[in-house]
Amino acid sequence: MVFLYWRKSLEETPPELREAYRSLLCGPRSDLAWQAYSMLAEEPGMTVEELAERLGANHLRVRRALWSLERLGLVGRRVEGRSEKWYATRRVYGVVRLNPYTPLPGSDELAGVDELAELLRRLAGLEHFVARSVEWYLKRDGTLIYREKRRIIRLSDRPLPLSYATIVAPNDPYRASLRVNGEPVEYDEYRVPLPGGLEAVYIYPHRGVQERAEASTPVGGNVYLEVEDSKRIVVCRGKGGAYVACFPNPMAHRGIYTLDYEFRAAGQLRLIAAEVLVDGYRLARLDRPGRGESMGYTWELETQRFRLKCEAVRAGWINVLLTLEPRYRSDAESWIEAGGEGCDPCRPLVAYDAPLL
């Protein structure tokens, strides 16, 4: 959600700018300018026609909404090739829109972004708000493709959580790619031996990358991190020719506020069970396709897909254990077996240094 702040006297502000401000600050969530701004903040570089199609609105109405946003300094445009593309140019977040129908406050009642961020920090007990979108895709040969998008709202001067960790086999060729605010960045890699012949890999953007991101992101501002890598899947042998894989997801250590997790498997593989553990306690167990909801978590199991979503939960670790069954026995020969039935391959990583995640 977005908050706007205004330091000048409203009487000194042009009427059309006041109206644009009032609409964005106090209008309903269906307000077209609000929707357009939110979409550009998430997906920059869209044309008016693309926005109109996504929003299901007349392109002339969308253009008028963009003009209002442009007057406020929240969006801008530039010509790229033959197209005019729009971008969110000012990203500020906070609590004013928690009640979208509140009257427009006076100028002396509006706080700056730094003050509202401090309020959020104290209320939530977090140094940052972090929303994680995680995607896994498992090929039949055991290659595991990982993609993560992390949106970080900075609430304090503490270091931004731009690190990443995973488990790999030492003989696996491993390479990750990192992007900070859409730009590829170099990183440092550290490896730590784990029981069972595996290694924990910790990745940090180069010191200069971290420093630049923090210097250019004021309190209340946003940083976007994207991670992509591939490795072989690590499994334990289950019952009846099935295999169990564990996927640890850190939450409270770095202020993870929302998690949108999706695992997909190739057509020759089948998901036959899923288990969700929260701080070591079982939250859900599914032995057949289905869905459920409890305590702020929702989950869904299909034959080749598992989805987990949660928001504003108090958890240190969420572990997803998936039971996989290959259609052909030979497909599992390249998978990395870390132990026998009941083994938990992610436990060494969790125990070793959770705060690094």
Side-chain angles (χ1 to χ4, degrees):
M1 85 198 62
V2 174
F3 69 78
L4 311 173
Y5 64 101
W6 204 253
R7 291 293 191 185
K8 296 182 179 179
S9 167
L10 291 176
E11 287 70 26
E12 300 173 2
T13 307
E16 66 274 11
L17 191 57
R18 286 206 306 270
E19 183 56 37
Y21 183 64
R22 182 187 297 274
S23 173
L24 288 174
L25 181 64
C26 306
R29 296 298 174 96
S30 59
D31 181 88
L32 188 60
W34 163 253
Q35 291 182 333
Y37 176 81
S38 299
M39 189 164 291
L40 288 175
E42 296 296 334
E43 301 181 41
M46 300 179 70
T47 65
V48 172
E49 290 73 20
E50 290 170 337
L51 275 169
E53 183 178 355
R54 294 283 298 276
L55 295 171
N58 181 280
H59 75 281
L60 292 177
R61 292 186 59 229
V62 172
R63 188 174 293 279
R64 283 195 293 268
L66 290 173
W67 288 341
S68 296
L69 291 165
E70 192 174 32
R71 291 190 192 102
L72 286 170
L74 292 175
V75 302
R77 47 181 155 165
R78 62 173 179 255
V79 176
E80 299 180 9
R82 297 184 177 181
S83 300
E84 181 183 71
K85 296 191 176 182
W86 291 80
Y87 295 82
T89 56
R90 184 181 179 196
R91 299 170 183 268
V92 288
Y93 294 79
V95 296
V96 174
R97 281 202 68 116
L98 284 174
N99 180 1
Y101 302 103
T102 183
L104 184 65
S107 58
D108 57 336
E109 299 174 16
L110 290 175
V113 60
D114 51 346
E115 295 164 326
L116 287 171
E118 171 62 19
L119 173 63
L120 282 173
R121 188 192 67 76
R122 287 191 286 107
L123 290 176
L126 300 174
E127 302 297 335
H128 310 286
F129 275 171
V130 183
R132 290 180 68 213
S133 175
V134 174
E135 296 180 0
W136 300 85
Y137 178 68
L138 177 62
K139 299 181 179 180
R140 63 184 296 183
D141 64 356
T143 301
L144 195 59
I145 308 299
Y146 176 86
R147 296 184 179 92
E148 175 184 343
K149 293 183 179 180
R150 194 180 303 177
R151 172 182 164 190
I152 306 161
I153 304 177
R154 194 175 194 189
L155 300 182
S156 74
D157 291 328
R158 295 290 298 275
L160 291 167
L162 301 179
S163 59
Y164 166 70
T166 190
I167 301 174
V168 301
N171 59 345
D172 259 6
Y174 177 77
R175 178 71 178 173
S177 65
L178 270 66
R179 298 174 70 90
V180 176
N181 291 332
E183 297 295 329
V185 299
E186 298 296 323
Y187 61 84
D188 297 313
E189 179 182 303
Y190 301 92
R191 295 195 175 213
V192 178
L194 296 176
L198 302 175
E199 290 182 336
V201 177
Y202 296 91
I203 289 176
Y204 303 86
H206 281 177
R207 182 182 298 275
V209 174
Q210 181 92 18
E211 291 174 349
R212 286 194 299 272
E214 292 173 354
S216 62
T217 308
V219 172
N222 277 256
V223 175
Y224 294 85
L225 174 71
E226 297 175 60
V227 181
E228 182 171 342
D229 71 12
S230 65
K231 59 248 179 192
R232 281 193 294 161
I233 191 171
V234 176
V235 297
C236 297
R237 189 177 295 275
K239 298 178 180 179
Y243 297 85
V244 179
C246 180
F247 303 89
N249 293 273
M251 296 289 286
H253 292 295
R254 287 292 193 178
I256 307 296
Y257 189 71
T258 64
L259 174 67
D260 190 342
Y261 172 102
E262 183 176 36
F263 180 93
R264 293 180 295 114
Q268 297 80 8
L269 307 172
R270 191 163 68 97
L271 290 173
I272 60 176
E275 189 170 354
V276 181
L277 303 176
V278 178
D279 292 337
Y281 296 93
R282 178 187 290 179
L283 174 71
R285 168 77 186 183
L286 291 87
D287 294 307
R288 62 180 64 87
R291 64 183 63 189
E293 181 176 351
S294 177
M295 300 172 60
Y297 300 83
T298 60
W299 55 85
E300 181 179 4
L301 176 65
E302 300 175 2
T303 305
Q304 291 170 284
R305 176 177 175 269
F306 177 77
R307 184 86 180 268
L308 174 70
K309 297 183 71 174
C310 57
E311 182 173 353
V313 297
R314 287 294 182 181
W317 283 86
I318 297 177
N319 286 23
V320 177
L321 286 85
L322 299 176
T323 304
L324 300 153
E325 185 178 66
R327 181 181 299 176
Y328 306 106
R329 179 71 179 175
S330 58
D331 286 345
E333 291 178 356
S334 61
W335 300 6
I336 300 172
E337 290 192 37
E341 185 177 335
C343 172
D344 188 351
C346 69
R347 190 175 302 281
L349 176 63
V350 174
Y352 175 72
D353 207 345
L356 284 177
L357 298 180

